[in-house]
Amino acid sequence: MYLLYTDETNTDPKKSDFFVYGGVTVKTDEAADICNQIAALRTKFRYGPGDLLKFNTKQRPAHITPEAHRAVKQELMQMAAQYDVKLFSSLVLFDIAKTSEKGRRFGINSVCAHFHRFLEKRIDFGLMLIDTFTEAELREIIKEKWAVGLKDMPYSKTMGLTRILGYHVAMISSSHLCSLTDIILGALGCAINYRQDENKTELVSTLVKQIAPFCIMEDGKVSDWSLFFSPKVIKAPPFLTRYQNLKDFFQQHGLPPLQPITDERYY
């Protein structure tokens, strides 16, 4: 069975052009080993029991230097790459989503659908653990996903998500796996944000290399389960160009996305 921990990043449209919602899967029979190794890393780098371990440097504990914070994140991702840890993500232009709330809705739907299909392919089942946000909206989403699944699909009004056995709430400091998810998604979000900054070229290259082992590959390309450009059809030419530029960025860094960027329906 698989656990999918989800989170969001790039939530401020003033700082990011793409909102990112995603998740990280961990096999249940590997979860304890991963958690034990994260615990060992926390001890090695002097993180106390209540100290946050997240991607954002500004949220590191006061006694942890920026250098130590970079090192623990790097070692954590190197460790996780030795396991069957996989990345799911949905990337939507803020100019289309308009708000983080709508971007989150798009993202949760996409990630749920892709996780379900991932489980179908592996003939397995899973649980989805959703990072907390506004309680009323969170409860509504969980109830809808459990009772109905997905609504207004291209070829049907609804699609059940029978491979997902349950939806639960998670938050940072409730599991080492929440830290793992935050750091992997944070690396993805940061690479996207700095992709056009000539002063951050080395950092961006490093982040993409760290993300690469977690991407699900199909015929030498990154599956849209790992890098999904939402929506699938983009009608406005200026938006189409911005999505294509983002796709080109990943391709130039050795992660060619499988999904086409198009203004025509192909499914």
Side-chain angles (χ1 to χ4, degrees):
M1 191 164 78
Y2 287 83
L3 306 174
L4 173 65
Y5 280 80
T6 68
D7 201 355
E8 60 193 47
T9 188
N10 293 8
T11 57
D12 186 349
K14 295 179 181 178
K15 298 179 180 178
S16 312
D17 54 348
F18 281 87
F19 175 87
V20 179
Y21 193 88
V24 169
T25 57
V26 176
K27 291 180 69 173
T28 52
D29 59 359
E30 294 181 341
D33 285 346
I34 294 172
C35 287
N36 288 337
Q37 293 210 46
I38 295 175
L41 284 173
R42 289 178 60 94
T43 300
K44 174 181 175 179
F45 286 92
R46 300 190 302 112
Y47 279 76
D51 291 338
L52 290 179
L53 176 52
K54 300 187 66 176
F55 180 83
N56 192 334
T57 302
K58 293 181 180 180
Q59 292 179 290
R60 74 186 191 281
H63 67 282
I64 302 295
T65 66
E67 293 75 20
H69 186 242
R70 283 194 296 271
V72 69
K73 290 187 293 184
Q74 179 179 358
E75 290 194 26
L76 186 149
M77 285 194 277
Q78 288 174 342
M79 175 276 296
Q82 300 172 24
Y83 293 88
D84 188 26
V85 173
K86 297 302 177 188
L87 168 69
F88 288 73
S89 75
S90 176
L91 319 174
V92 60
L93 195 64
F94 260 115
D95 286 343
I96 293 176
K98 302 301 183 184
T99 66
S100 293
E101 290 73 23
K102 289 184 179 178
R104 185 188 301 121
R105 275 276 188 176
F106 295 155
I108 289 177
N109 286 339
S110 300
V111 170
C112 282
H114 294 156
F115 184 42
H116 171 75
R117 292 177 181 131
F118 168 86
L119 294 168
E120 279 188 322
K121 186 173 183 179
R122 297 204 175 193
I123 316 175
D124 213 330
F125 295 89
L127 295 172
M128 187 166 176
L129 298 105
I130 303 172
D131 188 64
T132 187
F133 50 90
T134 307
E135 184 177 355
E137 184 186 5
L138 176 57
R139 288 172 60 87
E140 178 189 343
I141 288 175
I142 288 178
K143 287 170 64 177
E144 178 185 293
K145 293 293 165 285
W146 172 245
V148 178
L150 301 176
K151 293 182 177 180
D152 301 319
M153 300 299 289
Y155 300 107
S156 62
K157 290 186 177 181
T158 62
M159 185 184 100
L161 301 169
T162 54
R163 290 280 167 178
I164 304 176
L165 301 180
Y167 303 83
H168 305 275
V169 177
M171 61 182 182
I172 198 72
S173 294
S174 67
S175 169
H176 292 310
L177 299 176
C178 293
S179 291
L180 173 68
T181 303
D182 184 278
I183 288 170
I184 293 176
L185 285 176
L188 173 62
C190 187
I192 290 171
N193 286 346
Y194 288 133
R195 68 189 186 277
Q196 296 173 320
D197 189 335
E198 294 181 356
N199 296 319
K200 303 287 186 179
T201 301
E202 184 177 351
L203 170 63
V204 168
S205 178
T206 297
L207 291 173
V208 175
K209 288 177 182 177
Q210 290 173 340
I211 296 163
F214 308 114
C215 291
I216 301 165
M217 306 300 293
E218 293 183 36
D219 299 324
K221 294 187 176 182
V222 181
S223 167
D224 56 3
W225 296 349
S226 286
L227 289 176
F228 178 65
F229 302 100
S230 177
K232 284 186 175 182
V233 178
I234 304 155
K235 293 294 185 180
F239 296 167
L240 190 73
T241 299
R242 292 168 71 182
Y243 276 92
Q244 186 61 54
N245 289 342
L246 181 59
K247 179 178 178 176
D248 291 344
F249 159 75
F250 285 115
Q251 178 137 355
Q252 290 160 8
H253 284 79
L255 289 179
L258 181 65
Q259 181 184 342
I261 304 299
T262 179
D263 58 357
E264 297 181 0
R265 181 168 170 171
Y266 61 92
Y267 55 94

